[in-house]
Tab-separated table of all heavy atoms in Angstrom:
chain	number	residue	atom	x	y	z
A	198	SER	N	-13.933	1.224	-33.302
A	198	SER	CA	-13.326	0.540	-32.160
A	198	SER	C	-14.115	-0.700	-31.735
A	198	SER	O	-13.782	-1.339	-30.757
A	198	SER	CB	-13.162	1.498	-30.976
A	198	SER	OG	-14.429	1.820	-30.428
A	200	VAL	N	-17.397	-1.029	-30.902
A	200	VAL	CA	-18.559	-0.919	-30.013
A	200	VAL	C	-19.819	-1.407	-30.746
A	200	VAL	O	-20.660	-2.094	-30.178
A	200	VAL	CB	-18.742	0.529	-29.528
A	200	VAL	CG1	-20.029	0.681	-28.720
A	200	VAL	CG2	-17.525	0.977	-28.715
A	205	ASP	N	-25.218	-4.638	-36.263
A	205	ASP	CA	-25.777	-4.203	-34.984
A	205	ASP	C	-26.792	-3.085	-35.191
A	205	ASP	O	-26.625	-2.218	-36.050
A	205	ASP	CB	-24.678	-3.654	-34.060
A	205	ASP	CG	-23.956	-4.779	-33.327
A	205	ASP	OD1	-24.387	-5.942	-33.436
A	205	ASP	OD2	-22.946	-4.467	-32.656
A	208	PRO	N	-28.699	2.676	-31.299
A	208	PRO	CA	-29.745	3.235	-30.430
A	208	PRO	C	-30.754	4.003	-31.292
A	208	PRO	O	-30.393	4.619	-32.291
A	208	PRO	CB	-28.976	4.206	-29.531
A	208	PRO	CG	-27.565	3.719	-29.564
A	208	PRO	CD	-27.355	3.090	-30.900
A	216	ARG	N	-30.114	10.686	-24.486
A	216	ARG	CA	-28.807	10.597	-23.841
A	216	ARG	C	-27.888	11.736	-24.241
A	216	ARG	O	-27.055	12.188	-23.458
A	216	ARG	CB	-28.154	9.236	-24.089
A	216	ARG	CG	-27.560	9.024	-25.454
A	216	ARG	CD	-26.051	9.179	-25.407
A	216	ARG	NE	-25.525	9.319	-26.744
A	216	ARG	CZ	-24.447	10.021	-27.026
A	216	ARG	NH1	-23.780	10.640	-26.086
A	216	ARG	NH2	-24.036	10.137	-28.258
A	276	PHE	N	2.084	-14.712	-21.077
A	276	PHE	CA	0.771	-14.202	-21.450
A	276	PHE	C	0.506	-14.461	-22.935
A	276	PHE	O	-0.557	-14.952	-23.321
A	276	PHE	CB	0.728	-12.707	-21.131
A	276	PHE	CG	-0.554	-12.034	-21.478
A	276	PHE	CD1	-1.728	-12.365	-20.836
A	276	PHE	CD2	-0.578	-11.039	-22.438
A	276	PHE	CE1	-2.921	-11.720	-21.145
A	276	PHE	CE2	-1.755	-10.380	-22.759
A	276	PHE	CZ	-2.934	-10.727	-22.102
A	283	ARG	N	-5.586	-19.810	-27.448
A	283	ARG	CA	-7.028	-19.577	-27.570
A	283	ARG	C	-7.480	-19.474	-29.020
A	283	ARG	O	-8.660	-19.542	-29.311
A	283	ARG	CB	-7.410	-18.295	-26.840
A	283	ARG	CG	-7.158	-18.390	-25.359
A	283	ARG	CD	-7.275	-17.031	-24.746
A	283	ARG	NE	-8.547	-16.412	-25.106
A	283	ARG	CZ	-8.880	-15.187	-24.779
A	283	ARG	NH1	-8.030	-14.439	-24.104
A	283	ARG	NH2	-10.030	-14.695	-25.124
A	302	GLN	N	-19.737	-32.693	-19.761
A	302	GLN	CA	-20.455	-31.453	-20.061
A	302	GLN	C	-21.950	-31.551	-19.732
A	302	GLN	O	-22.516	-30.656	-19.104
A	302	GLN	CB	-20.247	-31.140	-21.552
A	302	GLN	CG	-20.962	-29.901	-22.071
A	302	GLN	CD	-20.263	-28.617	-21.649
A	302	GLN	OE1	-19.206	-28.649	-21.018
A	302	GLN	NE2	-20.852	-27.484	-21.981
A	306	MET	N	-23.952	-29.384	-16.971
A	306	MET	CA	-24.969	-28.436	-17.385
A	306	MET	C	-26.309	-28.764	-16.718
A	306	MET	O	-27.081	-27.873	-16.403
A	306	MET	CB	-25.081	-28.385	-18.911
A	306	MET	CG	-23.843	-27.790	-19.586
A	306	MET	SD	-23.469	-26.073	-19.057
A	306	MET	CE	-21.872	-26.243	-18.278
A	310	ASN	N	-28.308	-26.185	-14.519
A	310	ASN	CA	-29.722	-26.031	-14.756
A	310	ASN	C	-30.516	-26.140	-13.443
A	310	ASN	O	-31.432	-25.356	-13.176
A	310	ASN	CB	-30.132	-27.151	-15.723
A	310	ASN	CG	-31.450	-26.871	-16.384
A	310	ASN	OD1	-31.868	-25.722	-16.452
A	310	ASN	ND2	-32.103	-27.909	-16.843
A	313	ALA	N	-30.144	-23.038	-11.604
A	313	ALA	CA	-30.960	-21.978	-12.207
A	313	ALA	C	-32.414	-22.102	-11.761
A	313	ALA	O	-33.137	-21.106	-11.722
A	313	ALA	CB	-30.868	-22.044	-13.726
A	316	MET	N	-31.971	-21.720	-7.106
A	316	MET	CA	-31.203	-20.742	-6.352
A	316	MET	C	-32.117	-19.634	-5.832
A	316	MET	O	-32.986	-19.138	-6.526
A	316	MET	CB	-30.128	-20.132	-7.249
A	316	MET	CG	-29.124	-19.300	-6.473
A	316	MET	SD	-27.814	-18.660	-7.557
A	316	MET	CE	-27.346	-17.198	-6.604
A	326	PRO	N	-16.972	-16.190	1.640
A	326	PRO	CA	-15.937	-17.020	2.244
A	326	PRO	C	-16.334	-17.488	3.642
A	326	PRO	O	-16.929	-16.692	4.379
A	326	PRO	CB	-14.725	-16.088	2.331
A	326	PRO	CG	-14.942	-15.092	1.231
A	326	PRO	CD	-16.417	-14.952	1.102
A	334	LYS	N	-18.173	-29.667	2.726
A	334	LYS	CA	-18.393	-30.958	3.394
A	334	LYS	C	-18.028	-32.110	2.450
A	334	LYS	O	-17.375	-33.065	2.855
A	334	LYS	CB	-19.857	-31.063	3.842
A	334	LYS	CG	-20.055	-32.029	4.995
A	334	LYS	CD	-21.524	-32.169	5.368
A	334	LYS	CE	-22.083	-33.424	4.794
A	334	LYS	NZ	-23.492	-33.672	5.078
A	338	GLN	N	-15.206	-34.973	3.001
A	338	GLN	CA	-15.476	-36.405	2.907
A	338	GLN	C	-14.491	-37.095	1.973
A	338	GLN	O	-14.025	-38.200	2.234
A	338	GLN	CB	-16.915	-36.651	2.443
A	338	GLN	CG	-17.933	-36.268	3.522
A	338	GLN	CD	-19.356	-36.304	3.034
A	338	GLN	OE1	-19.626	-36.554	1.871
A	338	GLN	NE2	-20.294	-36.043	3.941
A	342	MET	N	-11.940	-40.062	2.988
A	342	MET	CA	-11.799	-41.326	2.292
A	342	MET	C	-10.343	-41.627	1.918
A	342	MET	O	-9.992	-42.758	1.620
A	342	MET	CB	-12.673	-41.341	1.034
A	342	MET	CG	-14.148	-41.465	1.329
A	342	MET	SD	-14.536	-42.991	2.223
A	342	MET	CE	-14.371	-44.213	0.888
A	349	PRO	N	-14.578	-29.563	7.451
A	349	PRO	CA	-15.108	-28.603	6.463
A	349	PRO	C	-14.693	-27.153	6.772
A	349	PRO	O	-14.451	-26.382	5.849
A	349	PRO	CB	-16.632	-28.776	6.603
A	349	PRO	CG	-16.812	-30.166	7.115
A	349	PRO	CD	-15.639	-30.455	7.986
A	356	ASN	N	-11.407	-18.865	-6.151
A	356	ASN	CA	-11.500	-18.728	-7.609
A	356	ASN	C	-10.404	-19.571	-8.256
A	356	ASN	O	-9.372	-19.064	-8.677
A	356	ASN	CB	-11.355	-17.264	-8.001
A	356	ASN	CG	-12.566	-16.438	-7.629
A	356	ASN	OD1	-13.600	-16.516	-8.272
A	356	ASN	ND2	-12.453	-15.668	-6.561
A	359	MET	N	-5.496	-21.337	-8.568
A	359	MET	CA	-4.591	-20.193	-8.664
A	359	MET	C	-4.779	-19.241	-7.498
A	359	MET	O	-3.817	-18.817	-6.864
A	359	MET	CB	-4.853	-19.475	-9.992
A	359	MET	CG	-3.847	-18.430	-10.316
A	359	MET	SD	-2.289	-19.148	-10.837
A	359	MET	CE	-2.221	-18.519	-12.509
A	363	ASN	N	-2.133	-18.527	-4.388
A	363	ASN	CA	-1.669	-17.161	-4.133
A	363	ASN	C	-2.029	-16.687	-2.732
A	363	ASN	O	-1.203	-16.108	-2.035
A	363	ASN	CB	-2.269	-16.202	-5.165
A	363	ASN	CG	-1.490	-16.207	-6.476
A	363	ASN	OD1	-0.281	-16.035	-6.478
A	363	ASN	ND2	-2.173	-16.426	-7.575
A	367	GLN	N	0.502	-15.865	0.387
A	367	GLN	CA	0.404	-14.552	1.030
A	367	GLN	C	0.140	-14.689	2.539
A	367	GLN	O	0.659	-13.914	3.336
A	367	GLN	CB	-0.744	-13.794	0.371
A	367	GLN	CG	-0.633	-12.302	0.494
A	367	GLN	CD	-1.865	-11.612	-0.107
A	367	GLN	OE1	-2.474	-12.129	-1.036
A	367	GLN	NE2	-2.201	-10.456	0.432
A	372	PRO	N	6.494	-9.620	2.642
A	372	PRO	CA	7.471	-9.242	1.614
A	372	PRO	C	8.892	-9.315	2.171
A	372	PRO	O	9.123	-8.966	3.330
A	372	PRO	CB	7.091	-7.791	1.296
A	372	PRO	CG	5.645	-7.706	1.621
A	372	PRO	CD	5.437	-8.613	2.794
A	388	GLN	N	5.640	-16.139	-10.665
A	388	GLN	CA	4.934	-14.852	-10.728
A	388	GLN	C	4.476	-14.424	-9.335
A	388	GLN	O	4.529	-13.250	-8.990
A	388	GLN	CB	3.744	-14.976	-11.680
A	388	GLN	CG	4.173	-15.161	-13.133
A	388	GLN	CD	3.009	-15.513	-14.048
A	388	GLN	OE1	2.039	-16.133	-13.637
A	388	GLN	NE2	3.114	-15.108	-15.304
A	392	ARG	N	5.314	-11.040	-7.424
A	392	ARG	CA	4.239	-10.127	-7.056
A	392	ARG	C	4.233	-9.832	-5.554
A	392	ARG	O	3.973	-8.724	-5.123
A	392	ARG	CB	2.896	-10.747	-7.467
A	392	ARG	CG	1.790	-9.774	-7.701
A	392	ARG	CD	0.684	-10.415	-8.503
A	392	ARG	NE	0.507	-11.802	-8.155
A	392	ARG	CZ	-0.194	-12.236	-7.103
A	392	ARG	NH1	-0.818	-11.379	-6.331
A	392	ARG	NH2	-0.301	-13.525	-6.845
A	394	LYS	N	6.806	-9.877	-3.693
A	394	LYS	CA	8.129	-9.357	-3.341
A	394	LYS	C	8.861	-10.285	-2.373
A	394	LYS	O	9.397	-9.865	-1.362
A	394	LYS	CB	8.012	-7.947	-2.715
A	394	LYS	CG	7.101	-6.973	-3.468
A	394	LYS	CD	7.698	-6.497	-4.768
A	394	LYS	CE	6.643	-5.798	-5.606
A	394	LYS	NZ	7.069	-5.540	-6.980
A	499	GLY	N	-13.383	-23.484	-16.660
A	499	GLY	CA	-14.101	-22.230	-16.751
A	499	GLY	C	-15.040	-21.924	-15.607
A	499	GLY	O	-15.563	-20.816	-15.521
A	501	ARG	N	-14.030	-21.934	-12.543
A	501	ARG	CA	-13.135	-21.217	-11.630
A	501	ARG	C	-13.492	-21.481	-10.163
A	501	ARG	O	-13.744	-20.565	-9.391
A	501	ARG	CB	-13.121	-19.703	-11.897
A	501	ARG	CG	-12.798	-19.290	-13.315
A	501	ARG	CD	-11.512	-19.846	-13.878
A	501	ARG	NE	-10.355	-19.561	-13.044
A	501	ARG	CZ	-9.404	-20.477	-12.777
A	501	ARG	NH1	-9.460	-21.704	-13.239
A	501	ARG	NH2	-8.385	-20.147	-12.029
A	519	LEU	N	-11.618	-11.914	1.034
A	519	LEU	CA	-12.595	-10.814	1.114
A	519	LEU	C	-12.003	-9.516	0.618
A	519	LEU	O	-12.701	-8.672	0.067
A	519	LEU	CB	-13.075	-10.643	2.560
A	519	LEU	CG	-14.251	-11.520	2.970
A	519	LEU	CD1	-14.482	-11.450	4.472
A	519	LEU	CD2	-15.524	-11.113	2.246
A	520	MET	N	-10.697	-9.326	0.806
A	520	MET	CA	-10.032	-8.093	0.373
A	520	MET	C	-9.684	-8.094	-1.097
A	520	MET	O	-9.439	-7.058	-1.676
A	520	MET	CB	-8.712	-7.922	1.114
A	520	MET	CG	-8.831	-7.611	2.554
A	520	MET	SD	-7.136	-7.313	3.127
A	520	MET	CE	-7.296	-7.867	4.799
A	522	THR	N	-10.931	-10.610	-3.900
A	522	THR	CA	-11.985	-10.902	-4.876
A	522	THR	C	-13.347	-11.049	-4.202
A	522	THR	O	-14.325	-11.370	-4.860
A	522	THR	CB	-11.710	-12.214	-5.641
A	522	THR	OG1	-11.663	-13.284	-4.683
A	522	THR	CG2	-10.420	-12.151	-6.402
A	527	VAL	N	-21.237	-17.720	-6.675
A	527	VAL	CA	-22.138	-18.586	-5.923
A	527	VAL	C	-22.801	-19.658	-6.789
A	527	VAL	O	-22.793	-20.839	-6.429
A	527	VAL	CB	-23.191	-17.738	-5.177
A	527	VAL	CG1	-24.203	-18.636	-4.466
A	527	VAL	CG2	-22.499	-16.834	-4.178
B	179	SER	N	-15.906	-33.281	13.613
B	179	SER	CA	-15.479	-32.067	12.895
B	179	SER	C	-16.428	-31.720	11.755
B	179	SER	O	-16.170	-30.783	10.998
B	179	SER	CB	-14.043	-32.223	12.397
B	179	SER	OG	-13.993	-33.151	11.348
B	181	VAL	N	-17.435	-33.591	9.088
B	181	VAL	CA	-17.280	-34.225	7.780
B	181	VAL	C	-18.542	-35.027	7.454
B	181	VAL	O	-19.022	-35.022	6.327
B	181	VAL	CB	-16.039	-35.133	7.763
B	181	VAL	CG1	-15.940	-35.898	6.458
B	181	VAL	CG2	-14.769	-34.309	8.010
B	186	ASP	N	-26.167	-38.491	7.470
B	186	ASP	CA	-25.322	-38.773	6.307
B	186	ASP	C	-25.052	-40.269	6.192
B	186	ASP	O	-24.874	-40.962	7.189
B	186	ASP	CB	-23.979	-38.054	6.428
B	186	ASP	CG	-24.062	-36.603	5.982
B	186	ASP	OD1	-25.114	-36.204	5.463
B	186	ASP	OD2	-23.063	-35.877	6.159
B	189	PRO	N	-19.399	-44.123	3.907
B	189	PRO	CA	-18.909	-44.952	2.801
B	189	PRO	C	-19.249	-46.421	3.084
B	189	PRO	O	-19.265	-46.855	4.240
B	189	PRO	CB	-17.386	-44.756	2.855
B	189	PRO	CG	-17.182	-43.462	3.574
B	189	PRO	CD	-18.337	-43.302	4.503
B	197	ARG	N	-10.258	-48.162	0.388
B	197	ARG	CA	-9.438	-46.985	0.637
B	197	ARG	C	-8.491	-47.176	1.828
B	197	ARG	O	-7.401	-46.633	1.861
B	197	ARG	CB	-10.305	-45.743	0.799
B	197	ARG	CG	-11.017	-45.583	2.114
B	197	ARG	CD	-10.278	-44.581	2.990
B	197	ARG	NE	-10.742	-44.706	4.355
B	197	ARG	CZ	-9.982	-44.494	5.396
B	197	ARG	NH1	-8.717	-44.170	5.263
B	197	ARG	NH2	-10.471	-44.604	6.611
B	257	PHE	N	-13.867	-8.071	8.890
B	257	PHE	CA	-14.242	-9.445	8.576
B	257	PHE	C	-15.382	-9.903	9.475
B	257	PHE	O	-16.366	-10.482	9.007
B	257	PHE	CB	-12.996	-10.320	8.764
B	257	PHE	CG	-13.214	-11.763	8.492
B	257	PHE	CD1	-13.535	-12.212	7.218
B	257	PHE	CD2	-13.062	-12.697	9.503
B	257	PHE	CE1	-13.710	-13.552	6.969
B	257	PHE	CE2	-13.237	-14.042	9.265
B	257	PHE	CZ	-13.560	-14.477	7.993
B	264	ARG	N	-24.221	-12.210	7.778
B	264	ARG	CA	-24.694	-13.416	7.110
B	264	ARG	C	-25.616	-14.242	7.981
B	264	ARG	O	-26.298	-15.139	7.497
B	264	ARG	CB	-23.500	-14.286	6.709
B	264	ARG	CG	-22.604	-13.617	5.713
B	264	ARG	CD	-21.323	-14.370	5.578
B	264	ARG	NE	-21.591	-15.781	5.305
B	264	ARG	CZ	-20.659	-16.693	5.234
B	264	ARG	NH1	-19.413	-16.360	5.418
B	264	ARG	NH2	-20.972	-17.950	4.986
B	283	GLN	N	-34.455	-11.899	-10.133
B	283	GLN	CA	-34.027	-13.289	-9.947
B	283	GLN	C	-34.488	-14.196	-11.089
B	283	GLN	O	-33.711	-14.971	-11.630
B	283	GLN	CB	-34.570	-13.775	-8.594
B	283	GLN	CG	-34.258	-15.222	-8.246
B	283	GLN	CD	-32.823	-15.424	-7.783
B	283	GLN	OE1	-32.073	-14.465	-7.645
B	283	GLN	NE2	-32.433	-16.663	-7.556
B	287	MET	N	-32.103	-16.172	-13.693
B	287	MET	CA	-32.064	-17.631	-13.695
B	287	MET	C	-32.447	-18.178	-15.068
B	287	MET	O	-31.939	-19.201	-15.485
B	287	MET	CB	-32.964	-18.196	-12.581
B	287	MET	CG	-32.428	-17.902	-11.177
B	287	MET	SD	-30.748	-18.563	-10.861
B	287	MET	CE	-29.811	-17.072	-10.560
B	291	ASN	N	-30.092	-20.581	-17.130
B	291	ASN	CA	-30.687	-21.761	-17.735
B	291	ASN	C	-30.295	-21.872	-19.212
B	291	ASN	O	-29.950	-22.937	-19.711
B	291	ASN	CB	-32.206	-21.613	-17.573
B	291	ASN	CG	-32.908	-22.930	-17.768
B	291	ASN	OD1	-32.315	-23.978	-17.557
B	291	ASN	ND2	-34.155	-22.873	-18.182
B	294	ALA	N	-26.874	-22.996	-19.448
B	294	ALA	CA	-26.782	-24.435	-19.151
B	294	ALA	C	-27.163	-25.267	-20.371
B	294	ALA	O	-26.716	-26.391	-20.524
B	294	ALA	CB	-27.672	-24.790	-17.958
B	297	MET	N	-24.041	-23.812	-23.552
B	297	MET	CA	-22.592	-23.658	-23.381
B	297	MET	C	-21.848	-24.846	-23.974
B	297	MET	O	-22.237	-25.983	-23.798
B	297	MET	CB	-22.268	-23.536	-21.892
B	297	MET	CG	-20.824	-23.132	-21.641
B	297	MET	SD	-20.480	-22.944	-19.880
B	297	MET	CE	-18.703	-23.239	-19.895
B	307	PRO	N	-9.137	-13.970	-19.776
B	307	PRO	CA	-8.983	-12.526	-19.896
B	307	PRO	C	-8.676	-12.115	-21.335
B	307	PRO	O	-7.926	-12.819	-21.993
B	307	PRO	CB	-7.775	-12.230	-18.990
B	307	PRO	CG	-7.799	-13.348	-17.987
B	307	PRO	CD	-8.372	-14.534	-18.676
B	315	LYS	N	-18.619	-5.998	-25.367
B	315	LYS	CA	-19.236	-5.145	-26.379
B	315	LYS	C	-20.470	-4.440	-25.795
B	315	LYS	O	-20.668	-3.240	-26.012
B	315	LYS	CB	-19.628	-5.978	-27.605
B	315	LYS	CG	-19.726	-5.162	-28.874
B	315	LYS	CD	-20.160	-6.023	-30.058
B	315	LYS	CE	-21.623	-5.752	-30.349
B	315	LYS	NZ	-22.169	-6.544	-31.460
B	319	GLN	N	-21.099	-0.445	-25.433
B	319	GLN	CA	-22.273	0.258	-25.952
B	319	GLN	C	-22.926	1.105	-24.870
B	319	GLN	O	-23.390	2.215	-25.121
B	319	GLN	CB	-23.268	-0.760	-26.525
B	319	GLN	CG	-22.761	-1.399	-27.810
B	319	GLN	CD	-23.641	-2.533	-28.296
B	319	GLN	OE1	-24.620	-2.901	-27.644
B	319	GLN	NE2	-23.273	-3.096	-29.428
B	323	MET	N	-23.455	5.132	-25.046
B	323	MET	CA	-24.721	5.826	-24.815
B	323	MET	C	-24.581	6.936	-23.782
B	323	MET	O	-25.425	7.820	-23.682
B	323	MET	CB	-25.798	4.830	-24.369
B	323	MET	CG	-26.291	3.920	-25.489
B	323	MET	SD	-27.020	4.859	-26.852
B	323	MET	CE	-28.585	5.340	-26.096
B	330	PRO	N	-14.399	-2.083	-26.811
B	330	PRO	CA	-14.488	-3.371	-26.087
B	330	PRO	C	-13.114	-3.899	-25.655
B	330	PRO	O	-12.999	-4.491	-24.585
B	330	PRO	CB	-15.134	-4.298	-27.125
B	330	PRO	CG	-15.911	-3.399	-28.025
B	330	PRO	CD	-15.144	-2.118	-28.088
B	337	ASN	N	-13.417	-10.637	-11.455
B	337	ASN	CA	-14.202	-11.227	-10.379
B	337	ASN	C	-14.749	-10.094	-9.504
B	337	ASN	O	-14.219	-9.801	-8.432
B	337	ASN	CB	-13.327	-12.180	-9.546
B	337	ASN	CG	-12.990	-13.453	-10.294
B	337	ASN	OD1	-13.839	-14.335	-10.433
B	337	ASN	ND2	-11.776	-13.525	-10.802
B	340	MET	N	-14.291	-5.580	-6.953
B	340	MET	CA	-13.168	-5.674	-6.009
B	340	MET	C	-11.882	-6.067	-6.714
B	340	MET	O	-10.842	-5.454	-6.517
B	340	MET	CB	-13.527	-6.712	-4.939
B	340	MET	CG	-12.567	-6.748	-3.802
B	340	MET	SD	-12.744	-5.325	-2.713
B	340	MET	CE	-13.262	-6.188	-1.228
B	344	ASN	N	-8.529	-3.692	-7.324
B	344	ASN	CA	-7.223	-4.155	-6.837
B	344	ASN	C	-6.218	-4.291	-7.962
B	344	ASN	O	-5.075	-3.860	-7.837
B	344	ASN	CB	-7.389	-5.503	-6.113
B	344	ASN	CG	-7.840	-5.322	-4.680
B	344	ASN	OD1	-7.248	-4.554	-3.923
B	344	ASN	ND2	-8.890	-6.014	-4.299
B	348	GLN	N	-2.814	-2.066	-8.620
B	348	GLN	CA	-1.554	-2.766	-8.778
B	348	GLN	C	-0.888	-2.433	-10.097
B	348	GLN	O	0.340	-2.328	-10.178
B	348	GLN	CB	-1.843	-4.270	-8.696
B	348	GLN	CG	-0.649	-5.110	-8.301
B	348	GLN	CD	-0.993	-6.595	-8.346
B	348	GLN	OE1	-2.137	-6.979	-8.157
B	348	GLN	NE2	0.011	-7.415	-8.603
B	353	PRO	N	5.291	-1.061	-4.996
B	353	PRO	CA	5.346	-0.916	-3.529
B	353	PRO	C	6.159	0.313	-3.142
B	353	PRO	O	7.174	0.616	-3.774
B	353	PRO	CB	6.038	-2.196	-3.073
B	353	PRO	CG	5.727	-3.186	-4.128
B	353	PRO	CD	5.671	-2.412	-5.411
B	373	ARG	N	-2.047	-4.022	1.535
B	373	ARG	CA	-1.586	-5.248	0.904
B	373	ARG	C	-0.515	-4.983	-0.140
B	373	ARG	O	0.433	-5.744	-0.294
B	373	ARG	CB	-2.788	-5.952	0.253
B	373	ARG	CG	-2.648	-7.410	0.051
B	373	ARG	CD	-4.009	-8.045	-0.137
B	373	ARG	NE	-4.893	-7.199	-0.906
B	373	ARG	CZ	-4.873	-7.111	-2.231
B	373	ARG	NH1	-4.044	-7.841	-2.937
B	373	ARG	NH2	-5.705	-6.307	-2.851
B	375	LYS	N	1.536	-2.565	-0.085
B	375	LYS	CA	2.641	-1.844	0.573
B	375	LYS	C	2.821	-0.443	-0.016
B	375	LYS	O	3.931	-0.024	-0.324
B	375	LYS	CB	3.964	-2.626	0.456
B	375	LYS	CG	3.866	-4.099	0.772
B	375	LYS	CD	3.735	-4.352	2.251
B	375	LYS	CE	3.308	-5.806	2.478
B	375	LYS	NZ	2.872	-6.088	3.844
B	480	GLY	N	-23.601	-12.268	-6.039
B	480	GLY	CA	-23.015	-13.614	-6.004
B	480	GLY	C	-22.512	-14.135	-7.327
B	480	GLY	O	-21.879	-15.174	-7.356
B	482	ARG	N	-20.351	-12.497	-9.059
B	482	ARG	CA	-18.953	-12.036	-9.025
B	482	ARG	C	-18.438	-11.685	-10.415
B	482	ARG	O	-17.415	-12.225	-10.863
B	482	ARG	CB	-18.022	-13.060	-8.350
B	482	ARG	CG	-18.421	-13.528	-6.977
B	482	ARG	CD	-18.635	-12.421	-5.952
B	482	ARG	NE	-17.510	-11.529	-5.823
B	482	ARG	CZ	-17.632	-10.185	-5.774
B	482	ARG	NH1	-18.804	-9.593	-5.834
B	482	ARG	NH2	-16.583	-9.435	-5.644
B	500	LEU	N	-4.344	-13.029	-14.972
B	500	LEU	CA	-3.902	-14.392	-15.279
B	500	LEU	C	-3.034	-14.945	-14.159
B	500	LEU	O	-3.020	-16.139	-13.887
B	500	LEU	CB	-3.121	-14.420	-16.599
B	500	LEU	CG	-3.954	-14.572	-17.852
B	500	LEU	CD1	-3.112	-14.344	-19.090
B	500	LEU	CD2	-4.590	-15.960	-17.924
B	501	MET	N	-2.286	-14.089	-13.494
B	501	MET	CA	-1.401	-14.521	-12.418
B	501	MET	C	-2.112	-14.708	-11.093
B	501	MET	O	-1.595	-15.357	-10.199
B	501	MET	CB	-0.334	-13.457	-12.149
B	501	MET	CG	0.687	-13.308	-13.193
B	501	MET	SD	1.892	-12.106	-12.567
B	501	MET	CE	2.395	-11.373	-14.101
B	503	THR	N	-6.016	-14.854	-10.440
B	503	THR	CA	-7.206	-15.721	-10.396
B	503	THR	C	-7.442	-16.398	-11.736
B	503	THR	O	-8.431	-17.112	-11.890
B	503	THR	CB	-8.481	-14.923	-10.044
B	503	THR	OG1	-8.689	-13.938	-11.060
B	503	THR	CG2	-8.352	-14.252	-8.689
B	508	VAL	N	-16.746	-18.557	-16.436
B	508	VAL	CA	-17.273	-18.418	-17.786
B	508	VAL	C	-18.809	-18.461	-17.829
B	508	VAL	O	-19.426	-17.602	-18.456
B	508	VAL	CB	-16.642	-19.480	-18.719
B	508	VAL	CG1	-17.269	-19.433	-20.100
B	508	VAL	CG2	-15.144	-19.256	-18.803
Side-chain angles (χ1 to χ4, degrees):
Chain A
S198 70
V200 174
D205 277 353
R216 76 102 195 149
F276 179 65
R283 296 168 52 185
Q302 178 76 4
M306 292 301 117
N310 198 22
M316 191 177 154
K334 204 183 101 181
Q338 290 171 356
M342 287 300 286
N356 288 285
M359 189 74 117
N363 278 308
Q367 204 184 330
Q388 292 170 330
R392 205 162 36 82
K394 313 288 168 191
R501 306 306 305 137
L519 273 170
M520 290 185 210
T522 61
V527 176
Chain B
S179 71
V181 175
D186 277 354
R197 77 101 195 148
F257 179 65
R264 296 168 52 185
Q283 178 77 4
M287 292 301 117
N291 198 26
M297 190 178 155
K315 204 182 103 181
Q319 290 172 357
M323 288 300 286
N337 288 285
M340 189 74 116
N344 277 309
Q348 203 184 331
R373 203 161 38 80
K375 314 286 167 192
R482 307 305 306 135
L500 273 170
M501 290 185 211
T503 61
V508 175

